[in-house]
Amino acid sequence: MTFFFAQLTRFGLLQARACAFAACMFAGFALSMAVPLPIARYDALLIYAVAVTALFWALRLETGREIAAIAGFHVVGLAFELFKVRMGSWSYPGPGWTVVWGVPLYSGFMYAAVGSYIVRAWRLFDLGLTNYRSWAVTAVAIAIYANFLTHHWLPDLRIPLAVLLIAVTWGTWVHFTVGEQRPRLPLALSFLFIGFFLWVAENISTLFDAWRYPHQAEVWALVHPAKLGAWALLVTVSFVLVAMWKGPGARKGAGPSG
């Protein structure tokens, strides 16, 4: 029992380190609501997010290569935001100079926070994959991303895509290091776990008025639990991008400790 709690503590501390950028973003959301600002909130959040990114690089919490990869998440996320806001999926009702077509530029950093988590977790936990079918998973991830855009006109294929994702990741394991142990987890289950925590993070972010869904226009309300599944699917796209960026090193498997 003592060993179990020691491992659980190690795991929690590593997760906290992996979530450092996301935690800084939450702090920025909270502070920008509580502290009077000399400029529009969205503009202040953009400056803050850029400063946090620079600080992480200066302190070597993230390497220059990792920063470049995370910048890619920012671009992909911003493009996603521009489309979804235009379709009315959610909104940013506040003013700001750094707002393009209704989307504040700081919003890309929320996707960068997800990218930062995956990149940092991969390094801190020394992740490895076995039986990873890169081309099949990548093809499904592309279809998932496309479906999030096309479901406004075409049938929503989330459930069939979720079933397909389970099929192409069946037998794929994620190996990670905690202390001297190297346990493993089914890849699809890891997507579900991350999706759950992203759903929790989404509730916190909307509570801090980082953005609003239509049902939150007048007063804050819980984000629908169905969004958990959407996040579990969307994180697949982020995972595939990092796996491609990591290259062959992503598939080093269980390692010497099994």
Side-chain angles (χ1 to χ4, degrees):
M1 186 63 69
T2 301
F3 175 76
F4 171 78
F5 282 110
Q7 286 292 90
L8 189 63
T9 300
R10 292 188 185 101
F11 180 82
L13 290 174
L14 287 172
Q15 286 286 5
R17 289 174 62 188
C19 292
F21 190 90
C24 288
M25 290 300 297
F26 286 141
F29 294 153
L31 287 172
S32 63
M33 289 186 67
V35 177
L37 299 170
I39 59 176
R41 184 178 183 230
Y42 293 161
D43 301 334
L45 283 171
L46 176 62
I47 295 171
Y48 171 80
V50 172
V52 170
T53 303
L55 181 63
F56 270 51
W57 180 56
L59 296 177
R60 299 295 185 265
L61 296 176
E62 287 171 346
T63 66
R65 187 167 180 262
E66 288 172 343
I67 292 291
I70 292 166
F73 282 94
H74 184 284
V75 173
V76 172
L78 194 58
F80 190 73
E81 288 286 315
L82 288 167
F83 179 84
K84 298 297 279 188
V85 168
R86 186 174 181 84
M87 298 304 299
S89 298
W90 53 81
S91 64
Y92 296 89
W97 288 100
T98 56
V99 176
V100 178
W101 296 336
V103 177
L105 296 182
Y106 91 83
S107 64
F109 282 96
M110 294 186 291
Y111 295 85
V114 177
S116 174
Y117 166 75
I118 296 176
V119 168
R120 288 173 59 79
W122 209 303
R123 171 163 47 86
L124 293 171
F125 284 98
D126 190 24
L127 295 190
L129 302 171
T130 52
N131 300 322
Y132 179 63
R133 307 169 188 90
S134 59
W135 287 105
V137 178
T138 300
V140 174
I142 292 172
I144 288 171
Y145 188 84
N147 182 71
F148 276 109
L149 305 179
T150 61
H151 80 87
H152 292 282
W153 307 287
L154 302 175
D156 192 344
L157 301 176
R158 295 184 200 186
I159 293 178
L161 286 171
V163 173
L164 186 58
L165 179 63
I166 293 173
V168 298
T169 58
W170 193 264
T172 302
W173 296 90
V174 180
H175 303 261
F176 55 99
T177 301
V178 180
E180 296 182 356
Q181 300 295 312
R182 193 157 173 82
R184 65 179 187 172
L185 189 71
L187 180 59
L189 186 59
S190 69
F191 291 154
L192 184 61
F193 284 157
I194 297 173
F196 170 76
F197 286 109
L198 286 174
W199 176 76
V200 172
E202 185 176 42
N203 277 283
I204 297 172
S205 298
T206 53
L207 180 62
F208 289 151
D209 207 24
W211 71 90
R212 294 179 191 170
Y213 285 105
H215 73 284
Q216 299 170 325
E218 300 298 329
V219 63
W220 183 84
L222 190 72
V223 176
H224 197 282
K227 289 288 184 180
L228 190 159
W231 275 114
L233 288 174
L234 196 57
V235 78
T236 305
V237 180
S238 301
F239 182 88
V240 164
L241 288 173
V242 176
M244 292 174 62
W245 172 72
K246 296 286 289 186
R251 295 179 288 278
K252 58 185 175 183
S257 61

